[in-house]
Amino acid sequence: MSTIEATMSMMEVMPEEARIKVMKYTQQLFTSRKPANPFVPLTTDQILSDLDEAHRQIEDGKGIPADEAMAEMGRRHGFI
């Protein structure tokens, strides 16, 4: 199955409300003056700095398990 066929298959079984959300998001991609990809490339130094900060937060007990983080993101963004 091609990507377009798989996408169409998913769209066919989606509830109408979800299809409308997908359509509105797609329209925004084409009409927005912003680039489609909101993420700017990071330098190696920026990545290493972010990793250092993450390690410090984990050592300070501020981290949460990955499965909890993913579940929270899913709830927050409507995937769950």
Side-chain angles (χ1 to χ4, degrees):
M1 178 180 289
S2 71
T3 303
I4 190 70
E5 290 169 333
T7 302
M8 292 304 297
S9 177
M10 287 187 297
M11 293 289 292
E12 288 172 353
V13 297
M14 270 185 186
E16 182 68 17
E17 182 179 312
R19 282 197 298 266
I20 291 170
K21 286 182 181 180
V22 170
M23 181 187 73
K24 286 181 180 179
Y25 176 75
T26 305
Q27 287 174 336
Q28 286 177 345
L29 289 176
F30 286 102
T31 59
S32 173
R33 292 179 186 223
K34 296 182 232 172
N37 183 354
F39 303 103
V40 295
L42 298 176
T43 66
T44 301
D45 288 341
Q46 289 170 316
I47 293 169
L48 293 175
S49 174
D50 288 351
L51 287 172
D52 284 341
E53 177 63 23
H55 287 141
R56 276 194 295 281
Q57 289 176 353
I58 290 168
E59 288 172 359
D60 293 343
K62 296 179 183 175
I64 61 173
D67 57 340
E68 289 179 29
M70 297 301 287
E72 173 58 29
M73 286 191 299
R75 281 190 294 277
R76 189 179 316 144
H77 298 288
F79 299 127
I80 296 176

